[in-house]
Amino acid sequence: MFKLEERVSSLGVKVHGPSYPHRLNFYDTPPLYDVTIEDFESAALNRLRILAEIESCAARDRKWDETKNHITAQCEKYLPLKASSAKDVDKEGQRRTDQLGHFVLRLAFCRSEELRRRFVKAETTLFRIRYESEDSTERRSFLGSREFNWVAVDDAEKKLNAAELLTYYVKPDLFEKESYYKVRWTRVPDLVDQRRVFLKGGWAYVPSREQSSIVYKEFETHLEKDLMVTARYMPRLDEDTRLKGVLDNLSQGFLAGVSEWSATPTDPNAPSIKAEMIDELAVKHFPMCMRNSHQKLRADHRLNHFGRLEYGLFLKVLGLSVEEAIVFWRKSFDRITDDTFNKMYKYNIRHSYGLEGKRANYPAHSCQQILTSSGDPGCPFRHFSVDNLRSALVSTYGLSSGDVNEVMKTVKDNHFHVACTRVYEITHASGGVKRGEGVGGGESVTHPNQYAAASMALAKEREEKAEAMVIG
């Protein structure tokens, strides 16, 4: 573990670590090779995207098959891990990246009991998805490569306990072909709780069809112990200023996932918006954070510095040109003179568009940045009081009491981006958005511009269908 920490450098990759015979991995051996800071962070971010989406699926009460299919698709996109039989694929490279990302996230999430708990739960779910999807031959090969300390039940013991074992088996005609393994009952608490195993003398008799429960629990226990060991050595790592910022940022990943949304304008041919359109767009398409900023601006005719920066960058990425931005902000600050506006605000507007100062093309803030801000203006789901948030959900979106209670439950569990995603689904149900679809492909909201773009695209699609029906 700590060779990784001590050997991270900017010299490139010199791989001389272990080989990876299986996709399934208990991550016993840390990566013992040099990596660039970029690879260090990239491997972790791609894995964090998957883990955050797993947690999001759980918070949204998605069924197991839905979660499994969604996460499998996300893994293909961000964390591919092909079978040993796959041809023309760098399997070693994929497995090396998988292992590196896991160990980097161990460093980020070992820091508190709460982070460790959430990391273990998400990682165990990812392992289960991979285990269930694995080819039976490769699965047996993996199981045979480890010592799980289970005791095979021989035919004599099986016959001796046949009457009791049959009470836990739904297909008596297959009993003769079933194999059993004995483990201490504390290793399969889920099976004991659901009364799916026979208990005798402190042993649980686990049929082969339930063997996976032993494996999952072993993975979970193994990871919990390793995280505690990692936590004891964290002070040494904090001395490395190159990594501390990266790990601090990663540890916030469960708050709002990892956004892949392009936070800077990328398509010069994309339709632009005008200053006079923003009032209507805010009501129809803005997420709660940006709609709150717009409402404060309209009510007070001002926003503080961070509010102007956050909202201004959002509008920029949405398609508001610098010329239109100046028009919008000038009309919004209608209680000051032109001279005061030009002196105090015009330069900053141009600066945010990369036309002044160091001329950087500043990106819009992601949900994670907004959630971890001071809270002014911040994310309503995190920074509003319970009463204010309830009131805002009703007054802003007209949510029913049942919908409000559902959203508030996710807020109480600190799944703020899930709450925002659920609001999107509820308010766009008339446009065909169903529970669990999120902003497209089942994905959760991770960026305000992602929310707005999905809403605007849905409205455009409905308009085009309506026009086609009229023409037809």
Side-chain angles (χ1 to χ4, degrees):
M1 165 66 73
F2 305 101
K3 287 187 178 181
L4 168 66
E5 298 156 14
E6 297 161 3
R7 295 170 66 86
V8 171
S9 70
S10 59
L11 300 178
V13 180
K14 298 186 294 183
V15 179
H16 49 79
S19 59
Y20 307 91
H22 308 287
R23 279 198 288 191
L24 297 173
N25 197 340
F26 266 47
Y27 305 101
D28 303 296
T29 308
L32 304 177
Y33 49 82
D34 291 345
V35 297
T36 64
I37 293 293
E38 291 76 15
D39 287 342
F40 181 92
E41 185 173 16
S42 175
L45 282 172
N46 284 334
R47 190 179 194 88
L48 183 55
R49 284 188 171 97
I50 305 302
L51 300 186
E53 198 62 28
I54 286 174
E55 188 168 83
S56 175
C57 286
R60 293 160 69 183
D61 293 324
R62 301 185 75 166
K63 296 179 180 179
W64 174 248
D65 286 344
E66 293 178 351
T67 296
K68 182 178 175 181
N69 292 336
H70 177 59
I71 297 304
T72 298
Q74 293 291 301
C75 285
E76 282 295 314
K77 189 175 181 180
Y78 298 114
L79 197 64
L81 205 59
K82 298 298 183 182
S84 297
S85 57
K87 305 294 183 182
D88 302 321
V89 176
D90 182 13
K91 296 185 289 292
E92 285 291 302
Q94 290 180 345
R95 295 173 187 185
R96 186 166 59 245
T97 298
D98 176 75
Q99 186 198 44
L100 175 61
H102 171 87
F103 275 93
V104 174
L105 291 185
R106 277 194 189 183
L107 301 177
F109 290 106
C110 71
R111 302 176 174 198
S112 71
E113 183 178 351
E114 172 66 11
L115 286 176
R116 290 193 293 271
R117 180 190 64 78
R118 295 171 73 172
F119 179 66
V120 168
K121 186 174 181 179
E123 278 282 350
T124 303
T125 301
L126 176 60
F127 179 85
R128 179 184 172 187
I129 290 171
R130 288 175 170 176
Y131 188 90
E132 290 186 2
S133 304
E134 186 60 283
D135 173 82
S136 59
T137 301
E138 291 195 23
R139 188 189 302 161
R140 284 195 297 271
S141 176
F142 167 73
L143 293 177
S145 70
R146 297 188 60 84
E147 178 55 66
F148 286 94
N149 295 315
W150 51 42
V151 179
V153 176
D154 59 27
D155 288 340
E157 188 173 6
K158 180 179 173 181
K159 290 179 180 179
L160 179 64
N161 298 289
E164 291 83 0
L165 292 174
L166 275 169
T167 63
Y168 295 90
Y169 207 95
V170 295
K171 296 180 179 179
D173 54 313
L174 298 178
F175 176 72
E176 292 299 324
K177 298 179 180 179
E178 182 63 277
S179 300
Y180 286 85
Y181 302 88
K182 287 195 303 184
V183 295
R184 288 298 176 182
W185 70 269
T186 53
R187 292 181 57 188
V188 285
D190 57 328
L191 298 181
V192 174
D193 183 59
Q194 298 172 40
R195 300 176 182 269
R196 291 163 61 184
V197 289
F198 168 56
L199 299 179
K200 182 179 180 180
W203 293 93
Y205 286 68
V206 182
S208 59
R209 71 181 188 282
E210 302 285 8
Q211 187 181 40
S212 57
S213 290
I214 305 175
V215 180
Y216 303 153
K217 187 61 180 179
E218 187 74 8
F219 178 90
E220 180 181 306
T221 303
H222 183 80
L223 182 54
E224 286 173 345
K225 291 179 180 178
D226 285 350
L227 281 172
M228 293 299 296
V229 173
T230 305
R232 289 202 294 268
Y233 287 90
M234 273 305 296
R236 290 176 54 189
L237 186 62
D238 286 339
E239 298 173 2
D240 192 327
T241 57
R242 297 169 301 170
L243 302 184
K244 189 175 185 304
V246 174
L247 296 176
D248 288 343
N249 184 58
L250 290 170
S251 67
Q252 300 291 335
F254 277 139
L255 279 177
V258 180
S259 180
E260 66 165 339
W261 183 257
S262 176
T264 55
T266 56
D267 184 1
N269 299 315
S272 59
I273 62 174
K274 302 294 183 181
E276 63 267 20
M277 298 167 57
I278 295 177
D279 285 335
E280 182 180 358
L281 291 174
V283 172
K284 292 183 176 180
H285 304 298
F286 286 9
M288 199 170 188
C289 54
M290 296 304 149
R291 192 163 173 180
N292 178 56
S293 291
H294 186 79
Q295 289 172 340
K296 289 178 67 175
L297 178 61
R298 286 291 177 254
D300 302 336
H301 301 268
R302 63 179 298 276
L303 279 176
N304 64 27
H305 171 73
F306 292 107
R308 294 195 306 274
L309 176 63
E310 187 175 278
Y311 190 42
L313 291 174
F314 167 80
L315 293 175
K316 180 182 79 167
V317 174
L318 197 66
L320 191 69
S321 68
V322 64
E323 294 80 13
E324 289 294 322
I326 292 172
V327 171
F328 170 76
W329 289 105
R330 179 65 192 100
K331 289 183 177 179
S332 299
F333 298 152
D334 57 2
R335 296 179 179 177
I336 60 175
T337 65
D338 287 343
D339 186 56
T340 301
F341 176 80
N342 290 335
K343 288 180 179 179
M344 295 185 62
Y345 302 109
K346 191 172 181 179
Y347 176 88
N348 288 335
I349 295 169
R350 289 175 53 79
H351 187 277
S352 67
Y353 278 79
L355 301 176
E356 301 288 355
K358 63 180 182 180
R359 300 182 183 276
N361 186 16
Y362 294 98
H365 293 177
S366 68
C367 290
Q368 182 173 326
Q369 290 172 296
I370 296 172
L371 280 164
T372 55
S373 69
S374 62
D376 188 10
C379 171
F381 295 102
R382 185 178 195 187
H383 297 118
F384 278 21
S385 68
V386 172
D387 289 340
N388 285 346
L389 180 56
R390 280 185 173 276
S391 177
L393 288 170
V394 174
S395 62
T396 304
Y397 296 108
L399 267 59
S400 68
S401 59
D403 289 335
V404 170
N405 290 336
E406 181 182 354
V407 171
M408 293 304 297
K409 181 180 182 302
T410 61
V411 171
K412 182 180 179 181
D413 294 335
N414 294 326
H415 298 301
F416 308 110
H417 65 305
V418 175
C420 187
T421 304
R422 185 62 190 130
V423 168
Y424 177 89
E425 292 172 343
I426 294 168
T427 55
H428 292 77
S430 61
V433 177
K434 300 177 181 178
R435 173 187 287 271
E437 289 188 2
V439 289
E443 293 193 9
S444 303
V445 175
T446 56
H447 199 290
N449 285 94
Q450 175 196 25
Y451 183 114
S455 179
M456 293 168 69
L458 186 63
K460 183 179 179 181
E461 181 181 338
R462 292 178 67 185
E463 289 175 2
E464 291 175 347
K465 287 182 179 179
E467 290 176 2
M469 290 178 65
V470 171
I471 296 173

